[in-house]
Amino acid sequence: MITLPVKYIELLARHGRDLKELGVNGMALPRRPALEAVEALRLAKIPILATHVLHVVNGKIRHSYDSWCCKSPVDTTSEEYMRESFAEAERYIRAYPDSENGTVFYEIGLPNH
């Protein structure tokens, strides 16, 4: 069981969008807080398994079906895997077309916690 960093929890509380309306037990963040979350997870050495993009349309959050997934080796705690997972998540979030007007959110996929 992993312990999420306080900074990550604070970002979800302050900026997160609940995904229950999609039947998902999770939260998504706008670009800037999502990038801060990647950094908090990097510092805590918690690998990122995937990043899913969601869009707000007419006030409702919807899957865009755009995502990135880090191929998971047997040992997801290896330094090399973690380093690549953080770098790839950050690249994906930065490169995704996002007007930063509050209509694009990123769900960061973590190991079971």
Side-chain angles (χ1 to χ4, degrees):
M1 183 166 169
I2 64 171
T3 301
L4 296 174
V6 171
K7 174 74 173 175
Y8 181 79
I9 294 168
E10 289 173 351
L11 287 164
L12 290 178
R14 193 172 327 132
H15 303 284
R17 175 95 184 224
D18 197 324
L19 301 177
K20 284 182 187 167
E21 67 186 275
L22 295 174
V24 175
N25 184 19
M27 303 279 283
L29 294 164
R31 175 180 277 167
R32 288 184 193 156
L35 291 169
E36 290 179 51
V38 169
E39 179 62 13
L41 294 166
R42 184 185 69 75
L43 292 172
K45 298 184 188 271
I46 298 172
I48 298 170
L49 305 180
T51 304
H52 304 281
V53 181
L54 301 107
H55 291 237
V56 176
V57 179
N58 296 324
K60 295 183 185 268
I61 198 154
R62 299 284 179 242
H63 288 283
S64 70
Y65 299 102
D66 292 333
S67 64
W68 157 84
C69 180
C70 194
K71 300 254 191 253
S72 181
V74 174
D75 180 12
T76 59
T77 61
S78 77
E79 287 293 321
E80 181 181 344
Y81 175 79
M82 285 196 283
R83 192 172 34 257
E84 185 58 31
S85 78
F86 305 131
E88 195 58 37
E90 183 177 350
R91 277 192 294 267
Y92 187 81
I93 293 167
R94 287 190 187 283
Y96 194 84
D98 184 343
S99 62
E100 297 194 41
N101 64 359
T103 61
V104 178
F105 284 78
Y106 305 87
E107 178 190 19
I108 298 172
L110 302 176
N112 292 334
H113 59 277

